[in-house]
Amino acid sequence: MATTTSTTSLTTLHKNAHKTNCYSSPNALAFKRNQLNFTYRFKSTIISSSATKYDEFIVDEEVEKIKRLQNGSDVRGVAVEGEKGRTVDLTPPAVEAIAQGFGEWVINGMKTEQGYVKEIVKVSLGRDPRISGASLSVVVFSGLKRAGCSAYDMGLATTPACFMSTLLLPFDYDASIMMTASHLPYTRNGLKFFTPNGGLRSTEVEEICGNAARIYANRLAKVSTSVNMAATTKVDFMSTYAKHLRDIIKERVNHPDHFETPLKGFKIIVNPGNGSGGFFTWDVLDKLGADTFGSLNLEPDGMFPNHIPNPEDKVAMSLTRNAVLEQSADLGIVFDTDVDRSGVVDNLGNAINGDRLIALMSAIVLNEHPGTNIVTDARTSMALTQFITKRGGHHCLYRVGYRNVIDKGIQLNKDGIETHLMMETSGHGALKENHFLDDGAYMVVKIIIEMIRMKLAGLDNEGIGSLIKELEDPADSAELRINIICEPRFAKQRGVQAIETFRNYIEDGRLEGWELDSCGDCWVSEGCLVDSNDEPAAIDANMYRAKVSDDEHGQHGWIHVRQSIHNPNIAVNIQSSIPGGCQTIAKALLEKFLLVSDMDEGLDISQFVKFAESGRIG
C-alpha cells in the first residue's frame, strides 16, 4: 500500500476499493477467523439450548436475519418493496415472532419483579401512517395473543403517546408498542417498546430479538399452530394524551385573563410532514385559542409525498420558515413522523434545530433549575458547551444515540447529580419532569409556555429566538459516511475493527495534533461526567471523539467516528472553528490513517476521497 501524502492520486488508489474482500490483510484474516469461531459458537449455543425443547432444524441464516432487525433500542427493517438494493426483511412472520417475544418478555418480567402474572396482561399498539402499518398491526396482535397478552389498538398515534398509555388512567397498560421507522422512507417500518419504566434499552431489545429468532426458527421447522384470535379492543387514547398536554400549558401559564385559552392572540404554524403529529394542531393548539391557519402537511399520508418528516430535513425547515414569514406567525413547529422529535422556527424565520434547539431548551431549563447538568451526544459544538457553562450549567457530552443520552441522565440522577435535560442533536430530547421520555410534543409545550411567559412579561417582540442570540455557529462542519463492503452479518464487527484501529493510531501519536478524550467515548472537558458508577452502561456502538490542534490555531476542531447502528457504515462528524478546517481534518484522516492502515480495504471511502480533494460532499 502506498504511503504518499499527496491527494493527487487518491482516486486512483481507491478506485477498486469497493471490490476488495473484507479480509485481505493479515489482521483482517485473523478477524475473519474470530468471526467464524463466533458463528460456530453461536450456532452451537442456539441448537443446544433449544434441543431440549424442540425436535427441529434451525436455519441459522434465517435466525440471524431476525436478530439483525434490532436497531439499537428498537427494531427496524424494510417492510415493502421499493428500495433499490434492499429486500424486504421486516416480514409478517418476523414481526409476529418479535411481538410474541416482547409479550413473553413482559410476562416473564412480571414473574421476576412481582412473583405473579396478572390475569389480563394489557399491551397497547400505536402506529404512524406508513402503508405497511395496517397489515403488520394484524400480526403484532397475533404475536401478542400467542404470548398470552390482551391487545389494545390505539390506531394512528405517536411514540410518546404509546409510553404515556402505560401511565395515564384509566388506560395504564402493562406495556406498549409503537410501529414506526421515524423519518426513514415509506418502505421501512419498525417497532419501539415501552413499559411503565420507560423505553427499552438495547440489551433488552437484543434479548427480545434473540427469543423471537428462536420462535421464528421453531416455526420454520414445524407447522405453526393456529391461534384463536379474539377481537382486538380499539381505544381512543390520543384525545386523552392531547388533553394531558393542554392541561400542562394551562396550569403552568395560569393566564390572568383567559385561563382556558392561553394561546389567544398567537399564530402558530405546524408541519408534521404527513406523519402522526397533526393532532397537535387541532387537538392542542386550536383548543387553547391559537390561530393555526397556514399549517402544512397535516393529513396523515404513509407515502410522505411532500418531504421527509424530520426536523433535520432542510426542505421541511425551509417550507415551515416560508409559512411563518408569510403568515407573520409567532412560531413554527416541525415534527418527525412519530413525534418523538421536533424542531421550531422563530418569528424571524430562523430555524432552531440541532445545537440551536439544545441551546434553547438549555436556556429554558437552566432558568427553572439553575446549575443543572445537561447531557448531550458528543457531536455538539464547543460553542454550545460555552453557552451552557456561561449560564451556570454543566455540559456532559456522551455517546451518540438518544437512548444512551437519556440513560446517562437517568444514571446521573440516581447518583445524586441533578440532571434535568438530555438531548441529542437529532432532536430527541427528554426531561426529568416528563418521565425521561423523548417527546417532541412535550419539548414544544415547554417552548410555547416560555413564549407565553415572555409575552406576559412584555418581551414578546423579541421572539423565542432571542434566548439563543449569543450562541455561535461553527465556522465549518461536515458529516461523511464510510460504507462497509461485507456480508451483512460481518459488517458490525468490521466497523468495530476499523474504529478501534483509529483509536490506536491516535494513541500511538500517528496523527499529529490529535488527542483522544480521556474516557475514550465522550468529550471530558468543560465539566463532562463519565461512567463513574459501578455498572457503566453497555456500549451499543463503538465510537471515539478526538480534538484537533495545530501550531497556528491551537485547538480548532474535533472529529467523531462512530459505528452506525442503522446501516452498515461508519459515520464521521467533523467540526472546526476555522473556515475550510473540516477539509483539512478529513485530508489528514485519509492520508495518515485510511490509506496507510489497510482500513480502506473492505471500506468504500469514495466520499472521503472526494471531500478531501474538493471540499464537497456528494
Side-chain angles (χ1 to χ4, degrees):
M1 180 65 66
T3 59
T4 178
T5 58
S6 170
T7 58
T8 55
S9 59
L10 294 180
T11 303
T12 302
L13 285 170
H14 178 63
K15 64 180 180 180
N16 292 318
H18 68 284
K19 301 177 183 177
T20 307
N21 187 279
C22 282
Y23 309 110
S24 56
S25 69
N27 288 338
L29 286 170
F31 173 76
K32 181 180 181 182
R33 285 194 296 272
N34 290 337
Q35 286 308 305
L36 291 174
N37 289 336
F38 170 79
T39 303
Y40 174 77
R41 291 196 302 272
F42 170 79
K43 185 186 300 184
S44 301
T45 301
I46 293 296
I47 292 177
S48 63
S49 65
S50 58
T52 58
K53 295 182 179 180
Y54 309 117
D55 180 17
E56 62 183 14
F57 175 75
I58 295 179
V59 182
D60 293 288
E61 181 56 28
E62 294 300 318
V63 169
E64 281 296 300
K65 285 180 180 179
I66 300 294
K67 294 173 73 69
R68 286 200 298 271
L69 289 171
Q70 181 189 359
N71 183 74
S73 57
D74 52 69
V75 166
R76 287 185 189 173
V78 179
V80 295
E81 297 285 355
E83 277 190 66
K84 185 177 181 181
R86 294 290 300 265
T87 57
V88 172
D89 54 7
L90 194 72
T91 60
V95 172
E96 183 184 45
I98 293 169
Q100 181 177 342
F102 176 61
E104 291 178 357
W105 182 87
V106 171
I107 290 173
N108 290 335
M110 286 184 176
K111 291 178 181 177
T112 301
E113 293 179 12
Q114 304 171 8
Y116 67 94
V117 178
K118 289 181 175 180
E119 183 177 348
I120 300 177
V121 177
K122 303 183 295 181
V123 181
S124 62
L125 172 71
R127 60 183 174 87
D128 73 18
R130 291 170 189 277
I131 60 174
S132 58
S135 59
L136 290 181
S137 293
V138 174
V139 294
V140 169
F141 297 137
S142 175
L144 291 172
K145 179 67 175 178
R146 287 180 184 277
C149 301
S150 295
Y152 294 80
D153 182 8
M154 292 169 55
L156 189 69
T158 69
T159 291
C162 283
F163 168 68
M164 293 304 295
S165 74
T166 69
L167 299 181
L168 295 182
L169 297 173
F171 301 91
D172 62 338
Y173 299 121
D174 299 297
S176 185
I177 300 173
M178 175 65 182
M179 186 181 296
T180 182
S182 188
H183 63 281
L184 295 179
Y186 75 92
T187 52
R188 309 282 184 99
N189 215 328
L191 303 170
K192 295 182 178 181
F193 308 99
F194 299 94
T195 70
N197 294 324
L200 268 60
R201 295 177 172 86
S202 59
T203 51
E204 294 168 326
V205 177
E206 182 179 9
E207 179 184 346
I208 289 166
C209 287
N211 186 34
R214 290 188 284 275
I215 293 168
Y216 184 82
N218 184 45
R219 290 186 189 148
L220 290 179
K222 294 182 176 181
V223 176
S224 179
T225 57
S226 61
V227 174
N228 181 20
M229 289 295 294
T232 301
T233 304
K234 291 185 178 293
V235 294
D236 175 18
F237 178 77
M238 288 305 293
S239 60
T240 298
Y241 175 64
K243 181 181 182 300
H244 169 69
L245 296 178
R246 293 197 308 269
D247 288 345
I248 289 171
I249 295 174
K250 289 190 294 186
E251 291 166 8
R252 294 188 186 175
V253 169
N254 193 22
H255 201 286
D257 299 323
H258 30 90
F259 177 85
E260 293 294 332
T261 55
L263 282 172
K264 185 178 180 181
F266 285 94
K267 192 169 187 63
I268 300 176
I269 299 294
V270 181
N271 181 2
N274 301 110
S276 298
F279 84 97
F280 195 80
T281 310
W282 52 74
D283 221 7
V284 178
L285 299 179
D286 288 352
K287 290 184 178 181
L288 292 175
D291 177 358
T292 59
F293 179 80
S295 291
L296 311 167
N297 310 321
L298 298 178
E299 291 302 316
D301 187 333
M303 295 298 290
F304 311 121
N306 296 295
H307 58 73
I308 300 170
N310 185 355
E312 295 182 286
D313 182 62
K314 292 182 179 179
V315 175
M317 297 305 288
S318 177
L319 290 173
T320 308
R321 175 185 186 274
N322 292 341
V324 166
L325 294 177
E326 288 174 5
Q327 299 296 328
S328 298
D330 299 285
L331 186 70
I333 300 166
V334 178
F335 289 125
D336 76 336
T337 316
D338 57 324
V339 198
D340 59 357
R341 296 186 296 136
S342 57
V344 297
V345 176
D346 71 11
N347 61 326
L348 300 178
N350 298 310
I352 302 178
N353 53 11
D355 279 8
R356 289 173 168 266
L357 184 62
I358 298 173
L360 177 58
M361 290 304 304
S362 297
I364 293 171
V365 169
L366 283 166
N367 186 49
E368 298 172 342
H369 305 282
T372 188
N373 285 275
I374 293 168
V375 183
T376 73
D377 65 90
R379 296 172 298 179
T380 54
S381 67
M382 293 180 285
L384 178 64
T385 299
Q386 294 167 358
F387 181 90
I388 292 171
T389 54
K390 186 176 180 180
R391 282 156 182 76
H394 300 279
H395 189 193
C396 172
L397 288 96
Y398 197 58
R399 298 179 189 130
V400 173
Y402 75 92
R403 194 66 243 177
N404 292 330
V405 171
I406 293 172
D407 286 346
K408 181 63 174 177
I410 293 172
Q411 185 61 56
L412 289 174
N413 279 289
K414 286 181 179 178
D415 290 345
I417 302 167
E418 185 183 71
T419 306
H420 282 274
L421 177 64
M422 300 120 263
M423 288 198 72
E424 197 187 35
T425 50
S426 64
H428 282 285
L431 289 149
K432 180 181 179 181
E433 68 187 52
N434 190 42
H435 313 283
F436 298 100
L437 172 65
D438 52 318
D439 185 343
Y442 193 87
M443 286 288 160
V444 170
V445 162
K446 293 286 289 185
I447 293 169
I448 286 173
I449 291 170
E450 186 66 24
M451 182 178 70
I452 300 171
R453 287 173 176 170
M454 289 175 69
K455 183 172 183 178
L456 290 173
L459 302 173
D460 54 311
N461 290 332
E462 296 185 18
I464 202 74
S466 64
L467 296 178
I468 57 170
K469 60 185 177 183
E470 296 178 11
L471 178 70
E472 296 181 5
D473 292 326
D476 196 15
S477 62
E479 180 172 347
L480 304 166
R481 297 278 172 167
I482 300 174
N483 291 321
I484 301 172
I485 312 301
C486 269
E487 290 184 50
R489 59 180 173 167
F490 295 133
K492 181 176 180 179
Q493 288 77 15
R494 177 58 170 167
V496 170
Q497 182 194 31
I499 291 168
E500 291 300 318
T501 304
F502 166 77
R503 181 200 66 183
N504 293 335
Y505 262 60
I506 295 178
E507 288 182 336
D508 292 343
R510 299 170 76 170
L511 285 157
E512 186 178 356
W514 292 32
E515 180 185 352
L516 279 180
D517 47 65
S518 63
C519 74
D521 54 19
C522 77
W523 191 262
V524 296
S525 64
E526 303 293 346
C528 176
L529 302 163
V530 300
D531 274 339
S532 57
N533 45 294
D534 293 335
E535 297 181 1
I539 297 175
D540 56 0
N542 281 55
M543 60 190 78
Y544 295 100
R545 174 166 161 166
K547 44 191 175 184
V548 180
S549 305
D550 60 31
D551 293 337
E552 181 181 357
H553 303 98
Q555 183 184 334
H556 63 83
W558 55 260
I559 181 168
H560 186 272
V561 179
R562 66 183 171 91
Q563 166 195 353
S564 173
I565 61 173
H566 300 301
N567 296 297
N569 62 46
I570 296 169
V572 182
N573 289 86
I574 310 173
Q575 276 194 11
S576 177
S577 59
I578 57 175
C582 290
Q583 184 181 1
T584 302
I585 294 171
K587 183 178 177 181
L589 185 74
L590 182 65
E591 294 175 344
K592 298 179 181 180
F593 170 61
L594 289 172
L595 294 178
V596 298
S597 65
D598 290 336
M599 283 298 103
D600 63 318
E601 297 179 1
L603 301 177
D604 176 7
I605 62 171
S606 56
Q607 191 181 62
F608 239 92
V609 171
K610 182 173 182 179
F611 184 71
E613 291 181 337
S614 66
R616 295 193 300 271
I617 300 174

